[in-house]
Amino acid sequence: MSDGPLTGLRVLDVSTILAGPLCCQILGDYGADVIKIEHPTMGDSMRGHGKAKDGHPLWWKEISRNKRLVGLNLSAPEGAALLLRLAERADVLVENFRPGTLERWGVGPEELHRVNPGLVIARITGFGQTGPYASRAGFGTLAEAMSGFAHLTGTADGPPTLPAFGLADSICGIATSSAVMMALWHRERSGGRGQVVDMSLLEPIMTAVGPGPTVFDQLGVVEQRQGNRSTNNAPRNTYQTKDGSWVAISTSAQAIAERVLRLVGHPEVIDEPWFRTGVGRVAHADLLDEYVGSWIAERTRDEVAAAFAEAGAAVAPVYSAKDIVEDPHVQATEMITTVDDPDLGPMRMHNVMWRMSETPGRIRFTGRSPGADTDALLVEELGCDPAEIADLKARGVVA
């Protein structure tokens, strides 16, 4: 790829499920040469996540797209030595082992910076490299629980609710791609000096949840679950339509709130003093939900969408995956794109995450089979002896 903003950047993806691989997917989508390192016999655990077709894991096809694959057992001295040789030519290394694991294998930051002082090393863990929880096993579910997300998600009289997908990991992966670019920019300004990025799963989603700690610090208030309602504005909820579909509306802007209430036939509330602020409307959320919900319940989803559009109000259907791929806006803007896969043929997946006018990203190929690029990288690029690599393959150190 010669026209990506990250063309010429080499990234070693030494991570698994899910934040690290997503970070590296994003970098690869925009031109970075990403080399994915996975265990030579067990493979990457991501291969076993999600559904498969004809034995081919579908999530792997997306999360490992634009990545060249090498199988290395990093706990074996020969595998660790090969990683150091790859690191000599790399700009970024992303890993998510528990703190101390790379050091135990002889490939920690000190050793990596010895062979390549300019290397940016992104270390993703559940709770960071320091502190009393540093050695704990870290998973997105734990971060979703400890960030305040689960506490605020669900109905007021129901249990805390976890997402059905990798929310904390995904937020962390996107955040790590940003952190890596900051570290690379610093390298450019500091004479080529790399650094270590200490990223936890917990902090990015804690930030996304909002200012709860500040509110508690200043007011002593602990916010509680509100279902689909917001503590900041109303009406804000999901509502069922006449044909059994669901729609969501938001009235964060005062003008939108006024348009919604006029549309549903209750302009009289607009003149109430409490209606003039989001907090005031929240205090009357039951009344506003009744007005909006009863109006929506008498109309189909298409009728609701058309009426809201004509009124200049904000509404969105609640989509399933099927709805997403069939949506005309998603299709027109290519949010979902079709990629040719050597195993499964044409397959649809998420496109690159943002559009750039001069240096657009691109999906060059889908996730590959284990060790697909081992010989090309170790023999042809590093100049390793083919017989030596063959011996390491036979001993399960390389795949």
Side-chain angles (χ1 to χ4, degrees):
M1 185 174 180
S2 61
D3 61 349
L6 301 183
T7 295
L9 192 76
R10 175 166 287 190
V11 177
L12 299 181
D13 180 0
V14 195
S15 63
T16 187
I17 311 170
L18 163 66
L22 178 58
C23 166
C24 295
Q25 177 205 308
I26 293 169
L27 300 177
D29 284 350
Y30 292 94
D33 176 20
V34 180
I35 299 171
K36 168 69 181 177
I37 309 296
E38 60 179 329
H39 194 279
T41 57
M42 295 184 292
D44 189 321
S45 299
M46 280 297 303
R47 292 184 182 274
H49 272 58
K51 297 186 181 300
K53 180 181 179 182
D54 299 333
H56 299 287
L58 298 177
W59 200 354
W60 179 262
K61 293 292 186 181
E62 178 170 329
I63 198 70
S64 291
R65 69 193 190 195
N66 295 333
K67 300 179 184 181
R68 298 196 285 166
L69 267 58
V70 177
L72 291 181
N73 182 354
L74 301 182
S75 65
E78 301 95 332
L82 286 170
L83 178 66
L84 288 176
R85 292 189 61 182
L86 288 169
E88 289 178 10
R89 305 185 180 197
D91 298 283
V92 178
L93 182 145
V94 179
E95 65 96 1
N96 69 339
F97 295 102
R98 287 200 199 186
T101 301
L102 289 188
E103 288 84 349
R104 189 170 69 251
W105 293 340
V107 288
E110 184 176 346
E111 192 67 17
L112 289 166
H113 279 151
R114 182 185 64 79
V115 301
N116 184 352
L119 187 68
V120 170
I121 305 169
R123 314 194 75 176
I124 302 172
T125 56
F127 305 100
Q129 297 291 317
T130 61
Y133 301 160
S135 62
R136 289 186 181 182
F139 296 97
T141 298
L142 310 187
E144 287 147 9
M146 293 178 66
S147 64
F149 174 86
H151 173 76
L152 291 175
T153 305
T155 59
D157 58 351
T161 302
L162 296 168
F165 56 93
L167 179 62
D169 277 276
S170 297
I171 295 174
C172 182
I174 297 168
T176 305
S177 70
S178 177
V180 164
M181 298 313 300
M182 291 181 191
L184 289 170
W185 177 240
H186 170 264
R187 188 180 73 173
E188 290 299 307
R189 301 176 66 193
S190 65
R193 187 158 41 89
Q195 63 179 296
V196 176
V197 175
D198 182 2
M199 177 69 75
S200 75
L201 291 174
L202 181 57
E203 288 178 273
I205 188 172
M206 188 184 294
T207 299
V209 169
T214 303
V215 171
F216 173 73
D217 174 68
Q218 294 297 303
L219 301 176
V221 173
V222 177
E223 295 179 327
Q224 302 298 319
R225 289 185 290 284
Q226 304 285 330
N228 290 320
R229 289 179 173 175
S230 168
T231 57
N232 301 313
N233 67 85
R236 189 267 199 178
N237 214 323
T238 58
Y239 307 90
Q240 192 168 26
T241 63
K242 182 180 179 180
D243 54 355
S245 299
W246 290 85
V247 297
I249 72 168
S250 176
T251 56
S252 296
Q254 180 68 23
I256 298 296
E258 293 175 6
R259 291 170 192 170
V260 169
L261 268 297
R262 288 193 186 98
L263 174 63
V264 301
H266 289 279
E268 73 281 358
V269 299
I270 295 172
D271 296 325
E272 295 287 345
W274 54 262
F275 195 85
R276 296 171 189 167
T277 66
V279 174
R281 296 196 302 275
V282 167
H284 295 78
D286 288 343
L287 176 67
L288 298 176
D289 273 347
E290 171 59 29
Y291 288 162
V292 174
S294 60
W295 184 91
I296 288 176
E298 296 173 353
R299 291 159 177 82
T300 66
R301 188 177 80 173
D302 289 344
E303 290 171 340
V304 170
F308 268 71
E310 185 176 353
V315 69
V318 176
Y319 272 178
S320 67
K322 178 178 182 294
D323 297 319
I324 292 171
V325 299
E326 293 177 352
D327 181 85
H329 181 80
V330 171
Q331 293 176 354
T333 56
E334 297 186 86
M335 293 181 185
I336 303 295
T337 190
T338 299
V339 185
D340 285 325
D341 178 75
D343 300 311
L344 300 174
M347 63 186 306
R348 286 182 286 196
M349 63 176 59
H350 298 104
N351 205 342
V352 298
M353 202 171 293
W354 50 82
R355 310 293 182 260
M356 301 180 71
S357 62
E358 300 299 321
T359 53
R362 186 164 62 253
I363 302 171
R364 304 184 296 284
F365 51 86
T366 55
R368 301 190 181 192
S369 57
D373 303 284
T374 295
D375 289 338
L377 281 162
L378 301 186
V379 178
E380 297 173 22
E381 290 194 25
L382 295 187
C384 294
D385 182 357
E388 176 191 357
I389 298 303
D391 175 65
L392 292 175
K393 286 183 178 179
R395 292 194 283 125
V397 176
V398 171

